[in-house]
Amino acid sequence: MKQYLIFSLCLVFIPVVPAGASPRSQPPRFIPQETGFHLEVANGMWKTWISRPHNNLGIIDSLDISDNELSLFPCQLHEMSNLKQLFFRSNSIESCKDFPRLNKLEELWLDSNWRLNTLKDLPVLPELKLLSLSGTAVKSLRSMQMQPQLKQIFLSSALEDNEKETLQQKYPRITLICPND
């Protein structure tokens, strides 16, 4: 009796948007990286993608769900325990009250969420190194919980005048990047 070894090959196709095509027509992309996977479900595709069942969300370490008109952080983020980068640009959130405690998150990109006006409910993210708030309505970060590893903040132009000095006192080792600097 002969024994056969069967290999299963899983190919990941990365679609390319042809010149002149709308980026909205681009399907979700699942891209292998050194430490895990990057999932890009941007440009209005999140609701369609998440309506289907997905296993092993814990292997995703980078997620881009920009431009999806989301007013809440998706509950599926709780399952992404290895997430290191979250791109949540150009959505419609107003606060971070439903943001999960992602212990491995290093970068949080909240740019162009023009309704976002407070970070008081953002939980402590023990590995957070970069926080981007450009294009938000955040005027003050005084109510934000201390983020122990924070090294860089891209600030909102709506920030109050004396807020930069207050931030430098609270986080003496960070780099503050202002839109007017």
Side-chain angles (χ1 to χ4, degrees):
M1 177 195 249
K2 290 186 177 180
Q3 293 182 346
Y4 294 94
L5 185 59
I6 299 173
F7 289 96
S8 175
L9 180 62
C10 177
L11 297 175
V12 176
F13 292 97
I14 301 172
V16 176
V17 178
S22 167
R24 283 205 173 272
S25 62
Q26 185 173 349
R29 300 183 323 157
F30 202 58
I31 305 164
Q33 294 181 325
E34 276 185 37
T35 58
F37 290 90
H38 172 76
L39 176 60
E40 184 175 308
V41 191
N43 301 313
M45 297 299 294
W46 178 258
K47 290 176 184 170
T48 302
W49 185 82
I50 205 60
S51 66
R52 294 181 224 120
H54 298 281
N55 296 327
N56 300 324
L57 293 177
I59 65 170
I60 298 169
D61 66 353
S62 177
L63 176 65
D64 185 350
I65 49 177
S66 299
D67 297 302
N68 276 289
E69 300 175 11
L70 299 172
S71 58
L72 298 171
F73 290 100
C75 61
Q76 292 80 8
L77 290 177
H78 292 277
E79 299 174 47
M80 298 181 185
S81 57
N82 289 311
L83 202 59
K84 292 181 181 175
Q85 292 179 310
L86 177 58
F87 299 91
F88 200 83
R89 296 174 170 144
S90 300
N91 281 293
S92 299
I93 57 167
E94 294 179 18
S95 74
C96 295
K97 67 181 177 191
D98 53 349
F99 194 87
R101 183 171 160 84
L102 297 168
N103 290 329
K104 295 182 181 180
L105 192 67
E106 296 176 4
E107 296 180 17
L108 179 55
W109 298 84
L110 297 172
D111 309 341
S112 301
N113 279 284
W114 57 273
R115 292 181 179 169
L116 179 61
N117 58 22
T118 182
L119 293 178
K120 72 177 181 180
D121 297 317
L122 184 68
V124 173
L125 302 167
E127 297 299 321
L128 188 67
K129 293 174 180 60
L130 182 145
L131 176 62
S132 186
L133 301 170
S134 299
T136 67
V138 174
K139 294 180 181 177
S140 174
L141 295 176
R142 291 181 187 147
S143 62
M144 181 177 80
Q145 295 188 55
M146 185 68 144
Q147 302 295 333
Q149 300 294 323
L150 195 58
K151 294 187 180 0
Q152 195 171 37
I153 302 177
F154 291 88
L155 297 170
S156 164
S157 59
L159 208 66
E160 295 173 352
D161 291 336
N162 63 345
E163 191 67 16
K164 189 173 177 182
E165 292 81 24
T166 304
L167 282 171
Q168 287 177 324
Q169 290 172 358
K170 187 174 181 179
Y171 298 102
R173 296 184 184 125
I174 68 166
T175 302
L176 299 174
I177 301 168
C178 301
N180 299 329
D181 287 353

